[in-house]
PDB file of all heavy atoms in Angstrom:
ATOM      1  N   GLU B 251     -16.523  -0.313  13.306  1.00 98.00           N
ATOM      2  CA  GLU B 251     -16.698   0.218  11.887  1.00 98.00           C
ATOM      3  C   GLU B 251     -15.463   1.006  11.481  1.00 98.00           C
ATOM      4  O   GLU B 251     -14.774   1.473  12.285  1.00 98.00           O
ATOM      5  CB  GLU B 251     -17.947   1.058  11.806  1.00 98.00           C
ATOM      6  CG  GLU B 251     -19.101   0.275  11.934  1.00 98.00           C
ATOM      7  CD  GLU B 251     -20.410   1.360  12.084  1.00 98.00           C
ATOM      8  OE1 GLU B 251     -20.327   2.329  12.611  1.00 98.00           O
ATOM      9  OE2 GLU B 251     -21.462   0.959  11.531  1.00 98.00           O
ATOM     10  N   PRO B 252     -15.213   1.017  10.208  1.00 98.00           N
ATOM     11  CA  PRO B 252     -13.971   1.776   9.749  1.00 98.00           C
ATOM     12  C   PRO B 252     -13.961   3.155  10.276  1.00 98.00           C
ATOM     13  O   PRO B 252     -12.915   3.761  10.696  1.00 98.00           O
ATOM     14  CB  PRO B 252     -14.152   1.864   8.198  1.00 98.00           C
ATOM     15  CG  PRO B 252     -14.979   0.530   7.909  1.00 98.00           C
ATOM     16  CD  PRO B 252     -15.907   0.448   9.078  1.00 98.00           C
ATOM     17  N   VAL B 253     -15.317   3.881  10.338  1.00 98.00           N
ATOM     18  CA  VAL B 253     -15.390   5.219  10.913  1.00 98.00           C
ATOM     19  C   VAL B 253     -16.465   5.095  12.036  1.00 98.00           C
ATOM     20  O   VAL B 253     -17.561   4.949  11.652  1.00 98.00           O
ATOM     21  CB  VAL B 253     -15.648   6.308   9.906  1.00 98.00           C
ATOM     22  CG1 VAL B 253     -15.618   7.675  10.491  1.00 98.00           C
ATOM     23  CG2 VAL B 253     -14.544   6.339   8.735  1.00 98.00           C
ATOM     24  N   MET B 254     -16.041   5.199  13.222  1.00 98.00           N
ATOM     25  CA  MET B 254     -17.137   5.126  14.259  1.00 98.00           C
ATOM     26  C   MET B 254     -17.659   6.595  14.518  1.00 98.00           C
ATOM     27  O   MET B 254     -16.891   7.452  14.529  1.00 98.00           O
ATOM     28  CB  MET B 254     -16.531   4.570  15.563  1.00 98.00           C
ATOM     29  CG  MET B 254     -15.911   3.214  15.457  1.00 98.00           C
ATOM     30  SD  MET B 254     -17.089   1.799  15.344  1.00 98.00           S
ATOM     31  CE  MET B 254     -17.524   1.653  17.056  1.00 98.00           C
ATOM     32  N   THR B 255     -18.947   6.662  14.782  1.00 98.00           N
ATOM     33  CA  THR B 255     -19.502   7.935  15.122  1.00 98.00           C
ATOM     34  C   THR B 255     -19.988   8.076  16.555  1.00 98.00           C
ATOM     35  O   THR B 255     -20.346   7.037  17.191  1.00 98.00           O
ATOM     36  CB  THR B 255     -20.714   8.192  14.293  1.00 98.00           C
ATOM     37  OG1 THR B 255     -21.667   7.152  14.335  1.00 98.00           O
ATOM     38  CG2 THR B 255     -20.281   8.184  12.643  1.00 98.00           C
ATOM     39  N   TYR B 256     -19.946   9.296  17.109  1.00 98.00           N
ATOM     40  CA  TYR B 256     -20.349   9.385  18.474  1.00 98.00           C
ATOM     41  C   TYR B 256     -21.022  10.811  18.450  1.00 98.00           C
ATOM     42  O   TYR B 256     -20.486  11.929  18.132  1.00 98.00           O
ATOM     43  CB  TYR B 256     -19.114   9.547  19.393  1.00 98.00           C
ATOM     44  CG  TYR B 256     -19.334   9.761  20.815  1.00 98.00           C
ATOM     45  CD1 TYR B 256     -20.039   8.734  21.623  1.00 98.00           C
ATOM     46  CD2 TYR B 256     -19.253  11.097  21.425  1.00 98.00           C
ATOM     47  CE1 TYR B 256     -20.281   9.037  22.933  1.00 98.00           C
ATOM     48  CE2 TYR B 256     -19.543  11.322  22.729  1.00 98.00           C
ATOM     49  CZ  TYR B 256     -20.112  10.240  23.469  1.00 98.00           C
ATOM     50  OH  TYR B 256     -20.474  10.463  24.857  1.00 98.00           O
ATOM     51  N   LYS B 257     -22.352  10.800  18.741  1.00 98.00           N
ATOM     52  CA  LYS B 257     -23.131  11.975  18.817  1.00 98.00           C
ATOM     53  C   LYS B 257     -23.107  12.870  17.574  1.00 98.00           C
ATOM     54  O   LYS B 257     -22.871  14.081  17.703  1.00 98.00           O
ATOM     55  CB  LYS B 257     -22.839  12.869  20.024  1.00 98.00           C
ATOM     56  CG  LYS B 257     -23.061  12.017  21.361  1.00 98.00           C
ATOM     57  CD  LYS B 257     -23.192  12.895  22.585  1.00 98.00           C
ATOM     58  CE  LYS B 257     -23.551  12.069  23.776  1.00 98.00           C
ATOM     59  NZ  LYS B 257     -23.476  12.724  25.153  1.00 98.00           N
ATOM     60  N   THR B 258     -23.143  12.266  16.488  1.00 97.00           N
ATOM     61  CA  THR B 258     -23.067  12.960  15.089  1.00 97.00           C
ATOM     62  C   THR B 258     -24.442  13.556  14.639  1.00 97.00           C
ATOM     63  O   THR B 258     -24.413  14.298  13.661  1.00 97.00           O
ATOM     64  CB  THR B 258     -22.344  12.137  14.167  1.00 97.00           C
ATOM     65  OG1 THR B 258     -22.967  10.938  13.983  1.00 97.00           O
ATOM     66  CG2 THR B 258     -20.869  11.978  14.523  1.00 97.00           C
ATOM     67  N   ALA B 259     -25.535  13.097  15.226  1.00 96.00           N
ATOM     68  CA  ALA B 259     -26.811  13.379  14.737  1.00 96.00           C
ATOM     69  C   ALA B 259     -26.997  14.900  14.795  1.00 96.00           C
ATOM     70  O   ALA B 259     -26.808  15.492  15.925  1.00 96.00           O
ATOM     71  CB  ALA B 259     -27.827  12.711  15.413  1.00 96.00           C
TER      72      ALA B 259
END
Side-chain angles (χ1 to χ4, degrees):
Chain B
E251 287 173 325
V253 182
M254 303 282 284
T255 57
Y256 181 77
K257 298 196 175 171
T258 52

